[in-house]
Amino acid sequence: MPYDHRKTAPRTLALALALAGCCAALAGCGASQASEDSPAAGKGGTQTPPPAVNATPATPTAPGASATPATTAPSSSGSPSGSGQQESRSLAGRTVVVDPGHNPGNFRHSREINAKVDIGTARKECDTTGTSTNGTASEAAYTEAAFTLDVSHRLRDLLTARGAKVVLTHDADRPWGPCIDERAAIGNAARADAVVSVHADGSAVGHRGFHVILPARVSSGAADTGAIVGPSRELGKNIADHFARATGTAPANYLAGGTGLDVRKDLGGLNLSTVPKVFVECGNMRDPKDAALLTSAAWRQKAARGMADGIATYLNG
């Protein structure tokens, strides 16, 4: 137990020195670290809580607050002082746009999200509802829109803790959308140093793992990705590397030859971007093993940390 300095002082110099050394050793043991499994911000909007979340969600972020750097979020290294503080400001002056895929309200606005918009190479639906896990009689399905918003909150908090300005394309603060062309426009208007669109896949059972979608070289109508193909690939490679390390999961076993990097030209969010941008498909919600990870709050925190580390490596590279 700690030495009580209020008791009678020792009468010999040797005993005093010994006790003083003991006190000095004990004095440094009071620091504590915040749990990595507890996000600094909870879920927002009308989304359904995931079936396997143990942490109690905090009050949802108010609309418009997503661009304000958090001042109380934990350091990215988990250390309250020293090198942790230096690392936590490593993205000062940088702007990152985080795009939570889909919207929990899209299910109630099929007419609006089915309206076609120009994606440069074609016309495509404004947005979709996204996928979900397979629900059971005792457990509701966990929607992709709920997943992406939760991970995006965690990612925002990790990035703002490092000094970045973070803009969310939405925070479930609107009834549906935004459309895919508007999502691209938000990143462009912010002059973002990097944009990451958070998603989860809906493939067949047995298809497991994550992948990062990169923009193809497109020059058609409103789309011209020539300037962002190279930087986006570097951003995607860094995120894939750190995501695998942080989560312990492997690249998808069902596409892109197992590289974890998939190039596409049919996504308006990439085609219309003028700043480096990637999509991260964190796993397959339709596979029960992947679904067990995606519904875990602890794993979602690891996924957000992997993305944050990848973004930071890219921006500081």
Side-chain angles (χ1 to χ4, degrees):
M1 63 184 293
Y3 171 64
D4 188 349
H5 63 276
R6 293 170 296 178
K7 292 183 179 180
T8 305
R11 295 183 178 182
T12 67
L13 179 60
L15 180 59
L17 290 174
L19 291 174
C22 180
C23 289
L26 291 171
C29 298
S32 63
Q33 295 183 1
S35 170
E36 185 180 83
D37 294 345
S38 299
K43 295 181 280 294
T46 58
Q47 64 188 28
T48 303
V53 174
N54 298 320
T56 302
T59 303
T61 304
S66 58
T68 303
T71 57
T72 58
S75 138
S76 58
S77 66
S79 173
S81 61
S83 62
Q85 285 185 337
Q86 182 177 1
E87 180 185 355
S88 73
R89 307 305 300 172
S90 66
L91 298 182
R94 300 289 196 158
T95 297
V96 179
V97 170
V98 177
D99 178 28
H102 315 288
N103 182 320
N106 280 359
F107 292 94
R108 296 183 293 274
H109 294 272
S110 57
R111 181 177 61 84
E112 290 88 349
I113 67 170
N114 285 330
K116 299 292 182 68
V117 298
D118 183 9
I119 66 166
T121 56
R123 292 186 66 81
K124 202 169 182 178
E125 289 79 9
C126 155
D127 202 1
T128 66
T129 59
T131 187
S132 69
T133 61
N134 296 313
T136 65
S138 60
E139 194 172 78
Y142 184 35
T143 67
E144 182 184 0
F147 170 82
T148 64
L149 195 62
D150 179 271
V151 173
S152 293
H153 284 163
R154 297 169 187 270
L155 177 56
R156 172 199 61 195
D157 295 343
L158 290 168
L159 292 171
T160 53
R162 299 186 189 197
K165 173 184 176 181
V166 179
V167 178
L168 296 181
T169 58
H170 78 92
D171 198 6
D173 49 358
R174 52 186 291 164
W176 55 274
C179 293
I180 52 181
D181 56 344
E182 184 182 350
R183 291 171 187 264
I186 291 170
N188 297 343
R191 297 183 179 180
D193 296 292
V195 183
V196 175
S197 190
V198 181
H199 288 265
D201 211 355
S203 190
V205 174
H207 289 180
R208 297 199 60 197
F210 72 90
H211 65 281
V212 181
I213 304 175
L214 313 175
R217 190 171 296 277
V218 172
S219 180
S220 175
D224 187 356
T225 61
I228 70 163
V229 167
S232 296
R233 173 168 284 274
E234 287 303 311
L235 171 62
K237 286 170 61 179
N238 278 290
I239 290 177
D241 182 41
H242 285 279
F243 192 95
R245 293 185 199 175
T247 64
T249 54
N253 63 7
Y254 57 97
L255 49 72
T259 64
L261 300 175
D262 189 27
V263 179
R264 290 175 59 175
K265 62 179 181 180
D266 63 325
L267 299 175
L270 296 180
N271 290 351
L272 301 175
S273 183
T274 59
V275 293
K277 182 174 182 177
V278 299
F279 281 41
V280 181
E281 298 279 0
C282 298
N284 177 20
M285 300 195 94
R286 294 294 186 176
D287 178 82
K289 292 181 179 179
D290 267 14
L293 300 177
L294 298 168
T295 54
S296 162
W299 190 89
R300 292 197 300 274
Q301 186 67 18
K302 293 176 183 178
R305 184 171 296 280
M307 284 185 262
D309 288 346
I311 293 167
T313 300
Y314 165 74
L315 293 179
N316 291 325

